[in-house]
Each structure stands twice: as structure tokens, then as C-alpha cells.
Amino acid sequence: MFQWKNILKGMTMGVSDLIPGVSGGTIALVLGIYQSLIAAINGLFSKEWKKHVMFLMPLGIGIVIALLTISHLVEWLLVEFPQPTFFFFLGLIIGIIPTLLKDIDYKKNFSPIHYVLLAVGAMIVGATFFVKENELATVMSQLSFTEYALLFFAGWIASSAMILPGVSGSFVFLLFGVYPTVVNALSTFNLPVILTVGSGIAIGLVITSRFISFLFNKYKTSTYALMIGFIIGSIVVIYPGVAGDSFLLFISVLAFGIGGMSAYGLSYFEVKKTAVKLNP
């Protein structure tokens, strides 16, 4: 069944993928659709592919709408109000951590090895803070086969990052030096670049989702621990620091609070909805 509300969820994921350091996978967790998303991508080649397409279609529509229409707004916010923008996403990310810990019942299920995995995940993602992106990268023009191949490969790797909570696909584009080209292509509707990057993303999503699904099925608690670690580590990467006057600080704190309350509200709604389904 086509779920119109998933278009809005897809738009939220699309916006997050435009923010360097923010993971679409994390936002999927905030929205309560992460495991359904993984299952749907895996199910595209199963006998029930129609059901999975109906789940993914509105998400895809929302992501495309966000990428093609909101990219200008995101660029403007990152240039004019970077600190409040990043603080909003910090609130979203921090706000989902208690829910994830509750979902896995960490007090009961976590053993010392799970805390080690959590710490390792946090350190892996946190370490990317010290990796310098290609700041000299500019928009590519008159692309050659080699540059198209680079865009395809960057899309492939970025998609793996997009689907992993705490790991930013946009940051991968920055590391490859293609972020300006990708954002410009979305803003100007450069179809060859969009299709090239999109093809890489599609292939990467299918491969990575199968691996994540395997981990959830075989090592659910360990996978949760590692992903929570990824999310905690992303806090270090996203944190923009505090600068400016008291008004900017106030706006940043307000944005952080709105992000945190949004994450809590979405999580509460999803839990309540699940409870209603289990106890009609």
C-alpha cells in the first residue's frame, strides 16, 4: 500500500543527506523506518517485490523532491546559519540515542563486548573529524570518462555511508572532492551527473543493505551497539563549535532543543503506533 506520509519521511532523509556529517541512516532511525528500509531494499528481488516497491516509492519520491527543490535552501542555511543548522541536527541525533538503547534493552542485553563495540563504533566515526576533505574542490565542467567513473564510484561508496547510521554520504563526497559537483548538479538539474551518481548509489544501497540485514538477523545486539556507537561518534563530527554573539547562541540552543524534541516526539509516536498494532 502506498503510504503518502512516507513522502515527508523521504524528504527529511533527502535533506539530511545534503548536510555534511549528517547521515540519512540516522534520520531513518529517528523516523522509525530503518529496519523496514533495509528489508524493503533487500526484498526488491524477492517474490514480494511489489510490496517493497510500494514502501520505497514514496520514500524515493520524497528524497528526490528534497534533493531537487530544497538543495538551494540547505545551501543557504549552511552559508548563512551554519551553527543553528548543525545544532538542530545534533539535537535530532542525540535525541534518538535513548530510544535506541531502550529498543535493544541495553541494561539486560549488553555485555562488556557490546560496550566495546559501541566505543569502537564511536571512535571510527569520530576519527573522521580529523580527516580533511578536499577544500579546493570545484564544480567539474566538461567531464571526461575518468571523472564520470569517479562520480559513479563516489556515489557507490557514499551510498554505503548513507545507509549506515552516523556516517555521512555527503562527507564521502567531500573526501572525493565531488561534493560541489554533485550539489551543483542537483541545483541545475544536470541529468548526466545525477544519473551517474544515482546509479552508483543504487548499486551500493542494494549491496550494503544485504550485509546490514545479515548482521541484524545474526548479531542484532552487537549490530545495535555498533550503530549506536556510530551515532555517538557522529556528534563529534557534526558539532560546529560555539561562536558569535549571545543571540546566535540562543538560536543555536533553541534549534538544538527543537531537534531533540522532534526526535523524542517521532520516537514516541512510532512506539505508540507499534503498541496499537500489537494490541488493537
Side-chain angles (χ1 to χ4, degrees), residues 31 40 43 65 70 75 121 127 190 212 219 230 241 261:
L31 296 171
I65 290 174
I70 307 179
E75 286 184 86
N190 186 330
I212 294 175
Y219 311 101
F230 285 163
M261 287 188 292

Side-chain angles (χ1 to χ4, degrees), residues 27-39:
I27 301 304
L29 280 171
V30 172
L31 296 171
I33 60 171
Y34 185 77
Q35 292 194 50
S36 298
L37 175 64
I38 298 296

Side-chain angles (χ1 to χ4, degrees), residues 141-157:
S141 59
Q142 298 179 342
L143 298 176
S144 65
F145 173 80
T146 302
E147 289 166 327
Y148 274 114
L150 174 64
L151 287 167
F152 176 84
F153 184 69
W156 184 324
I157 301 301

Side-chain angles (χ1 to χ4, degrees), residues 83 87 90 239-246 248-250 252-253:
Q83 186 169 300
F87 265 90
L90 270 177
Y239 179 64
V242 178
D245 54 26
S246 56
L248 180 60
L249 178 60
F250 170 76
S252 299
V253 172

